[in-house]
Amino acid sequence: MRIYYRAHKRAFLFVILCVMLIAVSVACVVFARRLSLPALYVAAFAVFAYQSQIFIVYVASAYEYELDGTLFRIYRITGRRRLAVFDLDLIHARSLLGYKDYKKYVKENGRPARRYRCLCGVRKSLSHVLLYGDSALFFVPDEYFAAAVSSAVSGSDPVGDAGPVR
């Protein structure tokens, strides 16, 4: 049984940040012309590139989560393009924790070596954390999808899939 969930974006602060970075980039170009400083052109390009990256990742794209049995996938959707950014068989996952439980886990065991975030602009404190190997994935599912992932991690049947009908 396939279950899909598209996380809700909260990108208002990132839009404001993008507008501010564009203003900084334009100011760098203006001051570079008036003061004849070529280094400010480089700074303007760097700020514009950083702003573009923030816009693409947090504002223009959305994340969709898919659970197909024990296969968990995350897709980044930008316009008409749908790109798989994460793919994991949940048999290899250790646990699914809420963010508060993850903080306790970090105090006891230390931070995972690698951390991936697919949060759609939502604060980390509202996320769930999937632990696998020496890595952690932060994502923002609804309660139904989180319960399905949790049951797949623990080895029981996913929510809504009781197995074959006899």
mmCIF file of all heavy atoms in Angstrom, residues 116-166:
data_model
loop_
_atom_site.group_PDB
_atom_site.id
_atom_site.type_symbol
_atom_site.label_atom_id
_atom_site.label_comp_id
_atom_site.label_asym_id
_atom_site.label_seq_id
_atom_site.Cartn_x
_atom_site.Cartn_y
_atom_site.Cartn_z
ATOM 1 N N TYR A 116 20.306 15.050 7.469
ATOM 2 C CA TYR A 116 19.629 15.557 6.282
ATOM 3 C C TYR A 116 18.335 16.228 6.725
ATOM 4 O O TYR A 116 17.637 15.735 7.595
ATOM 5 C CB TYR A 116 19.312 14.416 5.311
ATOM 6 C CG TYR A 116 20.535 13.653 4.879
ATOM 7 C CD1 TYR A 116 20.839 12.430 5.453
ATOM 8 C CD2 TYR A 116 21.391 14.171 3.930
ATOM 9 C CE1 TYR A 116 21.968 11.733 5.069
ATOM 10 C CE2 TYR A 116 22.524 13.480 3.542
ATOM 11 C CZ TYR A 116 22.807 12.261 4.117
ATOM 12 O OH TYR A 116 23.925 11.581 3.747
ATOM 13 N N ARG A 117 18.009 17.353 6.086
ATOM 14 C CA ARG A 117 16.809 18.098 6.464
ATOM 15 C C ARG A 117 15.919 18.312 5.256
ATOM 16 O O ARG A 117 16.364 18.868 4.264
ATOM 17 C CB ARG A 117 17.198 19.443 7.073
ATOM 18 C CG ARG A 117 17.898 19.297 8.391
ATOM 19 C CD ARG A 117 18.431 20.617 8.909
ATOM 20 N NE ARG A 117 19.147 20.429 10.158
ATOM 21 C CZ ARG A 117 20.428 20.108 10.244
ATOM 22 N NH1 ARG A 117 21.135 19.948 9.151
ATOM 23 N NH2 ARG A 117 21.009 19.949 11.414
ATOM 24 N N CYS A 118 14.684 17.884 5.345
ATOM 25 C CA CYS A 118 13.658 18.107 4.325
ATOM 26 C C CYS A 118 12.463 18.706 5.051
ATOM 27 O O CYS A 118 11.467 18.028 5.300
ATOM 28 C CB CYS A 118 13.290 16.806 3.630
ATOM 29 S SG CYS A 118 14.656 16.054 2.757
ATOM 30 N N LEU A 119 12.570 19.972 5.422
ATOM 31 C CA LEU A 119 11.630 20.571 6.367
ATOM 32 C C LEU A 119 10.657 21.578 5.758
ATOM 33 O O LEU A 119 9.750 22.027 6.443
ATOM 34 C CB LEU A 119 12.405 21.247 7.501
ATOM 35 C CG LEU A 119 13.232 20.313 8.369
ATOM 36 C CD1 LEU A 119 14.037 21.103 9.378
ATOM 37 C CD2 LEU A 119 12.340 19.326 9.067
ATOM 38 N N CYS A 120 10.817 22.009 4.535
ATOM 39 C CA CYS A 120 9.899 22.943 3.880
ATOM 40 C C CYS A 120 9.751 24.252 4.647
ATOM 41 O O CYS A 120 8.692 24.855 4.662
ATOM 42 C CB CYS A 120 8.522 22.330 3.695
ATOM 43 S SG CYS A 120 8.521 20.814 2.779
ATOM 44 N N GLY A 121 10.786 24.685 5.303
ATOM 45 C CA GLY A 121 10.727 25.936 6.037
ATOM 46 C C GLY A 121 10.137 25.818 7.428
ATOM 47 O O GLY A 121 10.039 26.803 8.143
ATOM 48 N N VAL A 122 9.746 24.628 7.837
ATOM 49 C CA VAL A 122 9.176 24.413 9.163
ATOM 50 C C VAL A 122 10.316 24.296 10.174
ATOM 51 O O VAL A 122 11.376 23.759 9.860
ATOM 52 C CB VAL A 122 8.311 23.127 9.168
ATOM 53 C CG1 VAL A 122 7.752 22.848 10.541
ATOM 54 C CG2 VAL A 122 7.194 23.245 8.156
ATOM 55 N N ARG A 123 10.107 24.797 11.375
ATOM 56 C CA ARG A 123 11.133 24.722 12.416
ATOM 57 C C ARG A 123 11.479 23.270 12.728
ATOM 58 O O ARG A 123 10.615 22.398 12.706
ATOM 59 C CB ARG A 123 10.650 25.413 13.684
ATOM 60 C CG ARG A 123 10.459 26.878 13.539
ATOM 61 C CD ARG A 123 10.144 27.516 14.879
ATOM 62 N NE ARG A 123 9.274 26.730 15.734
ATOM 63 C CZ ARG A 123 7.999 27.002 15.951
ATOM 64 N NH1 ARG A 123 7.448 28.052 15.400
ATOM 65 N NH2 ARG A 123 7.281 26.256 16.762
ATOM 66 N N LYS A 124 12.752 23.048 13.064
ATOM 67 C CA LYS A 124 13.200 21.698 13.413
ATOM 68 C C LYS A 124 12.441 21.142 14.608
ATOM 69 O O LYS A 124 12.238 19.939 14.720
ATOM 70 C CB LYS A 124 14.694 21.704 13.736
ATOM 71 C CG LYS A 124 15.574 21.527 12.564
ATOM 72 C CD LYS A 124 16.991 21.159 12.955
ATOM 73 C CE LYS A 124 17.616 22.157 13.874
ATOM 74 N NZ LYS A 124 19.044 21.898 14.112
ATOM 75 N N SER A 125 12.032 22.009 15.520
ATOM 76 C CA SER A 125 11.362 21.537 16.739
ATOM 77 C C SER A 125 10.014 20.884 16.452
ATOM 78 O O SER A 125 9.468 20.187 17.307
ATOM 79 C CB SER A 125 11.184 22.692 17.713
ATOM 80 O OG SER A 125 10.390 23.705 17.148
ATOM 81 N N LEU A 126 9.464 21.060 15.257
ATOM 82 C CA LEU A 126 8.188 20.444 14.888
ATOM 83 C C LEU A 126 8.381 19.194 14.039
ATOM 84 O O LEU A 126 7.413 18.618 13.546
ATOM 85 C CB LEU A 126 7.327 21.452 14.124
ATOM 86 C CG LEU A 126 6.972 22.729 14.877
ATOM 87 C CD1 LEU A 126 6.209 23.684 13.976
ATOM 88 C CD2 LEU A 126 6.171 22.410 16.123
ATOM 89 N N SER A 127 9.613 18.756 13.863
ATOM 90 C CA SER A 127 9.903 17.661 12.941
ATOM 91 C C SER A 127 9.956 16.314 13.650
ATOM 92 O O SER A 127 9.950 16.229 14.870
ATOM 93 C CB SER A 127 11.237 17.920 12.238
ATOM 94 O OG SER A 127 12.308 17.820 13.163
ATOM 95 N N HIS A 128 9.992 15.269 12.845
ATOM 96 C CA HIS A 128 10.273 13.911 13.288
ATOM 97 C C HIS A 128 11.654 13.559 12.759
ATOM 98 O O HIS A 128 12.079 14.062 11.715
ATOM 99 C CB HIS A 128 9.245 12.925 12.739
ATOM 100 C CG HIS A 128 7.929 13.000 13.435
ATOM 101 N ND1 HIS A 128 7.030 14.000 13.195
ATOM 102 C CD2 HIS A 128 7.371 12.205 14.370
ATOM 103 C CE1 HIS A 128 5.961 13.810 13.948
ATOM 104 N NE2 HIS A 128 6.149 12.731 14.676
ATOM 105 N N VAL A 129 12.355 12.685 13.447
ATOM 106 C CA VAL A 129 13.715 12.318 13.064
ATOM 107 C C VAL A 129 13.773 10.817 12.856
ATOM 108 O O VAL A 129 13.440 10.045 13.749
ATOM 109 C CB VAL A 129 14.727 12.762 14.136
ATOM 110 C CG1 VAL A 129 16.142 12.434 13.698
ATOM 111 C CG2 VAL A 129 14.595 14.239 14.433
ATOM 112 N N LEU A 130 14.199 10.409 11.671
ATOM 113 C CA LEU A 130 14.376 9.007 11.339
ATOM 114 C C LEU A 130 15.861 8.682 11.464
ATOM 115 O O LEU A 130 16.689 9.294 10.782
ATOM 116 C CB LEU A 130 13.888 8.738 9.918
ATOM 117 C CG LEU A 130 13.979 7.317 9.395
ATOM 118 C CD1 LEU A 130 13.051 6.409 10.191
ATOM 119 C CD2 LEU A 130 13.625 7.273 7.933
ATOM 120 N N LEU A 131 16.199 7.771 12.353
ATOM 121 C CA LEU A 131 17.591 7.381 12.577
ATOM 122 C C LEU A 131 17.886 6.097 11.814
ATOM 123 O O LEU A 131 17.116 5.133 11.893
ATOM 124 C CB LEU A 131 17.854 7.159 14.059
ATOM 125 C CG LEU A 131 17.672 8.382 14.953
ATOM 126 C CD1 LEU A 131 17.798 7.974 16.414
ATOM 127 C CD2 LEU A 131 18.683 9.448 14.622
ATOM 128 N N TYR A 132 18.987 6.094 11.084
ATOM 129 C CA TYR A 132 19.424 4.905 10.364
ATOM 130 C C TYR A 132 20.942 4.957 10.248
ATOM 131 O O TYR A 132 21.524 5.996 9.974
ATOM 132 C CB TYR A 132 18.779 4.815 8.977
ATOM 133 C CG TYR A 132 19.122 5.962 8.079
ATOM 134 C CD1 TYR A 132 20.130 5.840 7.131
ATOM 135 C CD2 TYR A 132 18.468 7.171 8.178
ATOM 136 C CE1 TYR A 132 20.471 6.904 6.316
ATOM 137 C CE2 TYR A 132 18.789 8.225 7.374
ATOM 138 C CZ TYR A 132 19.783 8.093 6.445
ATOM 139 O OH TYR A 132 20.129 9.142 5.639
ATOM 140 N N GLY A 133 21.576 3.849 10.534
ATOM 141 C CA GLY A 133 23.031 3.806 10.510
ATOM 142 C C GLY A 133 23.597 4.872 11.444
ATOM 143 O O GLY A 133 23.227 4.975 12.601
ATOM 144 N N ASP A 134 24.508 5.689 10.919
ATOM 145 C CA ASP A 134 25.050 6.810 11.694
ATOM 146 C C ASP A 134 24.507 8.137 11.171
ATOM 147 O O ASP A 134 25.176 9.158 11.237
ATOM 148 C CB ASP A 134 26.580 6.789 11.661
ATOM 149 C CG ASP A 134 27.128 6.941 10.249
ATOM 150 O OD1 ASP A 134 26.336 6.799 9.288
ATOM 151 O OD2 ASP A 134 28.319 7.208 10.110
ATOM 152 N N SER A 135 23.284 8.126 10.639
ATOM 153 C CA SER A 135 22.686 9.310 10.033
ATOM 154 C C SER A 135 21.311 9.586 10.622
ATOM 155 O O SER A 135 20.702 8.719 11.248
ATOM 156 C CB SER A 135 22.552 9.112 8.519
ATOM 157 O OG SER A 135 23.795 8.819 7.952
ATOM 158 N N ALA A 136 20.840 10.806 10.390
ATOM 159 C CA ALA A 136 19.511 11.214 10.841
ATOM 160 C C ALA A 136 18.834 12.022 9.747
ATOM 161 O O ALA A 136 19.475 12.831 9.080
ATOM 162 C CB ALA A 136 19.608 12.050 12.111
ATOM 163 N N LEU A 137 17.553 11.774 9.544
ATOM 164 C CA LEU A 137 16.756 12.506 8.564
ATOM 165 C C LEU A 137 15.666 13.261 9.308
ATOM 166 O O LEU A 137 14.888 12.669 10.056
ATOM 167 C CB LEU A 137 16.116 11.546 7.557
ATOM 168 C CG LEU A 137 15.052 12.157 6.658
ATOM 169 C CD1 LEU A 137 15.690 13.082 5.634
ATOM 170 C CD2 LEU A 137 14.237 11.091 5.975
ATOM 171 N N PHE A 138 15.605 14.575 9.101
ATOM 172 C CA PHE A 138 14.567 15.422 9.689
ATOM 173 C C PHE A 138 13.502 15.654 8.615
ATOM 174 O O PHE A 138 13.810 16.140 7.532
ATOM 175 C CB PHE A 138 15.146 16.773 10.111
ATOM 176 C CG PHE A 138 16.167 16.684 11.197
ATOM 177 C CD1 PHE A 138 17.482 16.352 10.914
ATOM 178 C CD2 PHE A 138 15.825 16.936 12.509
ATOM 179 C CE1 PHE A 138 18.431 16.266 11.907
ATOM 180 C CE2 PHE A 138 16.765 16.857 13.519
ATOM 181 C CZ PHE A 138 18.068 16.521 13.216
ATOM 182 N N PHE A 139 12.243 15.329 8.930
ATOM 183 C CA PHE A 139 11.152 15.602 7.997
ATOM 184 C C PHE A 139 9.895 15.906 8.793
ATOM 185 O O PHE A 139 9.843 15.689 9.993
ATOM 186 C CB PHE A 139 10.954 14.447 7.007
ATOM 187 C CG PHE A 139 10.457 13.161 7.603
ATOM 188 C CD1 PHE A 139 9.169 12.733 7.358
ATOM 189 C CD2 PHE A 139 11.275 12.366 8.383
ATOM 190 C CE1 PHE A 139 8.704 11.547 7.899
ATOM 191 C CE2 PHE A 139 10.821 11.176 8.917
ATOM 192 C CZ PHE A 139 9.532 10.764 8.676
ATOM 193 N N VAL A 140 8.875 16.438 8.109
ATOM 194 C CA VAL A 140 7.676 16.951 8.789
ATOM 195 C C VAL A 140 6.432 16.238 8.257
ATOM 196 O O VAL A 140 5.756 16.749 7.377
ATOM 197 C CB VAL A 140 7.543 18.481 8.576
ATOM 198 C CG1 VAL A 140 6.420 19.027 9.427
ATOM 199 C CG2 VAL A 140 8.837 19.185 8.871
ATOM 200 N N PRO A 141 6.127 15.047 8.784
ATOM 201 C CA PRO A 141 4.920 14.351 8.351
ATOM 202 C C PRO A 141 3.721 14.729 9.213
ATOM 203 O O PRO A 141 3.876 15.309 10.278
ATOM 204 C CB PRO A 141 5.285 12.883 8.576
ATOM 205 C CG PRO A 141 6.162 12.938 9.778
ATOM 206 C CD PRO A 141 6.947 14.232 9.657
ATOM 207 N N ASP A 142 2.526 14.399 8.729
ATOM 208 C CA ASP A 142 1.365 14.524 9.610
ATOM 209 C C ASP A 142 1.335 13.293 10.512
ATOM 210 O O ASP A 142 2.164 12.395 10.398
ATOM 211 C CB ASP A 142 0.077 14.676 8.800
ATOM 212 C CG ASP A 142 -0.269 13.451 7.971
ATOM 213 O OD1 ASP A 142 0.604 12.570 7.789
ATOM 214 O OD2 ASP A 142 -1.400 13.374 7.486
ATOM 215 N N GLU A 143 0.388 13.233 11.438
ATOM 216 C CA GLU A 143 0.367 12.156 12.429
ATOM 217 C C GLU A 143 0.094 10.787 11.796
ATOM 218 O O GLU A 143 0.665 9.783 12.192
ATOM 219 C CB GLU A 143 -0.678 12.463 13.511
ATOM 220 C CG GLU A 143 -0.310 13.662 14.352
ATOM 221 C CD GLU A 143 1.077 13.549 14.975
ATOM 222 O OE1 GLU A 143 1.427 12.470 15.486
ATOM 223 O OE2 GLU A 143 1.819 14.540 14.936
ATOM 224 N N TYR A 144 -0.763 10.751 10.785
ATOM 225 C CA TYR A 144 -1.081 9.485 10.121
ATOM 226 C C TYR A 144 0.152 8.932 9.413
ATOM 227 O O TYR A 144 0.487 7.757 9.538
ATOM 228 C CB TYR A 144 -2.226 9.702 9.127
ATOM 229 C CG TYR A 144 -2.592 8.467 8.345
ATOM 230 C CD1 TYR A 144 -3.328 7.443 8.935
ATOM 231 C CD2 TYR A 144 -2.199 8.326 7.027
ATOM 232 C CE1 TYR A 144 -3.657 6.306 8.223
ATOM 233 C CE2 TYR A 144 -2.532 7.187 6.308
ATOM 234 C CZ TYR A 144 -3.255 6.189 6.912
ATOM 235 O OH TYR A 144 -3.575 5.063 6.209
ATOM 236 N N PHE A 145 0.857 9.792 8.687
ATOM 237 C CA PHE A 145 2.047 9.352 7.963
ATOM 238 C C PHE A 145 3.157 8.963 8.935
ATOM 239 O O PHE A 145 3.860 7.974 8.726
ATOM 240 C CB PHE A 145 2.525 10.440 7.002
ATOM 241 C CG PHE A 145 3.523 9.947 5.999
ATOM 242 C CD1 PHE A 145 3.099 9.341 4.830
ATOM 243 C CD2 PHE A 145 4.883 10.065 6.229
ATOM 244 C CE1 PHE A 145 4.013 8.869 3.907
ATOM 245 C CE2 PHE A 145 5.804 9.606 5.321
ATOM 246 C CZ PHE A 145 5.366 8.995 4.155
ATOM 247 N N ALA A 146 3.310 9.714 10.026
ATOM 248 C CA ALA A 146 4.323 9.384 11.033
ATOM 249 C C ALA A 146 4.032 8.028 11.671
ATOM 250 O O ALA A 146 4.947 7.237 11.917
ATOM 251 C CB ALA A 146 4.391 10.470 12.100
ATOM 252 N N ALA A 147 2.761 7.737 11.932
ATOM 253 C CA ALA A 147 2.397 6.438 12.508
ATOM 254 C C ALA A 147 2.701 5.313 11.523
ATOM 255 O O ALA A 147 3.168 4.240 11.925
ATOM 256 C CB ALA A 147 0.922 6.427 12.890
ATOM 257 N N ALA A 148 2.466 5.551 10.234
ATOM 258 C CA ALA A 148 2.761 4.536 9.226
ATOM 259 C C ALA A 148 4.258 4.271 9.134
ATOM 260 O O ALA A 148 4.694 3.125 9.063
ATOM 261 C CB ALA A 148 2.210 4.976 7.867
ATOM 262 N N VAL A 149 5.067 5.328 9.163
ATOM 263 C CA VAL A 149 6.524 5.157 9.114
ATOM 264 C C VAL A 149 7.011 4.459 10.378
ATOM 265 O O VAL A 149 7.847 3.559 10.326
ATOM 266 C CB VAL A 149 7.229 6.518 8.918
ATOM 267 C CG1 VAL A 149 8.730 6.376 9.071
ATOM 268 C CG2 VAL A 149 6.888 7.109 7.564
ATOM 269 N N SER A 150 6.480 4.843 11.510
ATOM 270 C CA SER A 150 6.885 4.235 12.775
ATOM 271 C C SER A 150 6.569 2.743 12.807
ATOM 272 O O SER A 150 7.378 1.935 13.270
ATOM 273 C CB SER A 150 6.200 4.949 13.932
ATOM 274 O OG SER A 150 6.567 4.367 15.148
ATOM 275 N N SER A 151 5.408 2.363 12.319
ATOM 276 C CA SER A 151 5.059 0.945 12.303
ATOM 277 C C SER A 151 5.911 0.174 11.303
ATOM 278 O O SER A 151 6.247 -0.983 11.537
ATOM 279 C CB SER A 151 3.571 0.758 12.009
ATOM 280 O OG SER A 151 3.269 1.201 10.710
ATOM 281 N N ALA A 152 6.303 0.812 10.195
ATOM 282 C CA ALA A 152 7.180 0.150 9.228
ATOM 283 C C ALA A 152 8.581 -0.018 9.801
ATOM 284 O O ALA A 152 9.247 -1.019 9.552
ATOM 285 C CB ALA A 152 7.225 0.942 7.925
ATOM 286 N N VAL A 153 9.034 0.947 10.603
ATOM 287 C CA VAL A 153 10.355 0.860 11.230
ATOM 288 C C VAL A 153 10.361 -0.257 12.279
ATOM 289 O O VAL A 153 11.308 -1.028 12.386
ATOM 290 C CB VAL A 153 10.753 2.210 11.875
ATOM 291 C CG1 VAL A 153 11.948 2.050 12.783
ATOM 292 C CG2 VAL A 153 11.038 3.240 10.803
ATOM 293 N N SER A 154 9.277 -0.354 13.039
ATOM 294 C CA SER A 154 9.234 -1.355 14.108
ATOM 295 C C SER A 154 8.993 -2.763 13.581
ATOM 296 O O SER A 154 9.105 -3.723 14.322
ATOM 297 C CB SER A 154 8.152 -0.990 15.129
ATOM 298 O OG SER A 154 6.873 -1.075 14.535
ATOM 299 N N GLY A 155 8.627 -2.886 12.299
ATOM 300 C CA GLY A 155 8.459 -4.208 11.707
ATOM 301 C C GLY A 155 7.034 -4.688 11.622
ATOM 302 O O GLY A 155 6.771 -5.732 11.057
ATOM 303 N N SER A 156 6.083 -3.940 12.168
ATOM 304 C CA SER A 156 4.688 -4.353 12.049
ATOM 305 C C SER A 156 4.135 -3.834 10.730
ATOM 306 O O SER A 156 4.795 -3.132 9.991
ATOM 307 C CB SER A 156 3.875 -3.804 13.226
ATOM 308 O OG SER A 156 3.912 -2.402 13.226
ATOM 309 N N ASP A 157 2.890 -4.212 10.459
ATOM 310 C CA ASP A 157 2.265 -3.751 9.226
ATOM 311 C C ASP A 157 2.020 -2.259 9.279
ATOM 312 O O ASP A 157 1.646 -1.727 10.323
ATOM 313 C CB ASP A 157 0.916 -4.448 9.004
ATOM 314 C CG ASP A 157 1.103 -5.899 8.629
ATOM 315 O OD1 ASP A 157 2.148 -6.217 8.035
ATOM 316 O OD2 ASP A 157 0.214 -6.713 8.939
ATOM 317 N N PRO A 158 2.222 -1.542 8.151
ATOM 318 C CA PRO A 158 1.919 -0.112 8.136
ATOM 319 C C PRO A 158 0.446 0.146 8.434
ATOM 320 O O PRO A 158 -0.390 -0.717 8.240
ATOM 321 C CB PRO A 158 2.271 0.316 6.709
ATOM 322 C CG PRO A 158 3.179 -0.744 6.201
ATOM 323 C CD PRO A 158 2.805 -2.005 6.913
ATOM 324 N N VAL A 159 0.147 1.342 8.875
ATOM 325 C CA VAL A 159 -1.220 1.727 9.201
ATOM 326 C C VAL A 159 -2.099 1.573 7.970
ATOM 327 O O VAL A 159 -1.760 2.027 6.887
ATOM 328 C CB VAL A 159 -1.261 3.185 9.702
ATOM 329 C CG1 VAL A 159 -2.693 3.646 9.875
ATOM 330 C CG2 VAL A 159 -0.486 3.308 10.984
ATOM 331 N N GLY A 160 -3.223 0.909 8.126
ATOM 332 C CA GLY A 160 -4.164 0.741 7.016
ATOM 333 C C GLY A 160 -3.870 -0.462 6.144
ATOM 334 O O GLY A 160 -4.597 -0.759 5.227
ATOM 335 N N ASP A 161 -2.798 -1.212 6.389
ATOM 336 C CA ASP A 161 -2.466 -2.371 5.583
ATOM 337 C C ASP A 161 -2.358 -3.574 6.515
ATOM 338 O O ASP A 161 -1.329 -3.801 7.143
ATOM 339 C CB ASP A 161 -1.151 -2.144 4.842
ATOM 340 C CG ASP A 161 -0.854 -3.263 3.857
ATOM 341 O OD1 ASP A 161 -1.747 -4.089 3.616
ATOM 342 O OD2 ASP A 161 0.247 -3.291 3.336
ATOM 343 N N ALA A 162 -3.423 -4.327 6.647
ATOM 344 C CA ALA A 162 -3.453 -5.435 7.581
ATOM 345 C C ALA A 162 -2.948 -6.721 6.967
ATOM 346 O O ALA A 162 -3.014 -7.777 7.556
ATOM 347 C CB ALA A 162 -4.879 -5.626 8.088
ATOM 348 N N GLY A 163 -2.453 -6.672 5.744
ATOM 349 C CA GLY A 163 -1.938 -7.862 5.079
ATOM 350 C C GLY A 163 -2.981 -8.466 4.158
ATOM 351 O O GLY A 163 -4.022 -7.864 3.881
ATOM 352 N N PRO A 164 -2.726 -9.676 3.669
ATOM 353 C CA PRO A 164 -3.667 -10.289 2.726
ATOM 354 C C PRO A 164 -4.988 -10.679 3.395
ATOM 355 O O PRO A 164 -5.019 -11.058 4.549
ATOM 356 C CB PRO A 164 -2.920 -11.528 2.220
ATOM 357 C CG PRO A 164 -1.893 -11.813 3.247
ATOM 358 C CD PRO A 164 -1.556 -10.501 3.901
ATOM 359 N N VAL A 165 -6.039 -10.567 2.624
ATOM 360 C CA VAL A 165 -7.375 -10.936 3.112
ATOM 361 C C VAL A 165 -7.531 -12.437 2.980
ATOM 362 O O VAL A 165 -7.250 -13.010 1.927
ATOM 363 C CB VAL A 165 -8.472 -10.201 2.317
ATOM 364 C CG1 VAL A 165 -9.842 -10.611 2.776
ATOM 365 C CG2 VAL A 165 -8.274 -8.696 2.449
ATOM 366 N N ARG A 166 -8.006 -13.110 4.028
ATOM 367 C CA ARG A 166 -8.182 -14.559 3.978
ATOM 368 C C ARG A 166 -9.630 -14.930 4.000
ATOM 369 O O ARG A 166 -10.467 -14.327 4.546
ATOM 370 C CB ARG A 166 -7.490 -15.201 5.165
ATOM 371 C CG ARG A 166 -6.014 -15.008 5.058
ATOM 372 C CD ARG A 166 -5.318 -15.652 6.229
ATOM 373 N NE ARG A 166 -3.898 -15.342 6.105
ATOM 374 C CZ ARG A 166 -2.998 -15.782 6.907
ATOM 375 N NH1 ARG A 166 -3.318 -16.561 7.890
ATOM 376 N NH2 ARG A 166 -1.749 -15.487 6.746
#
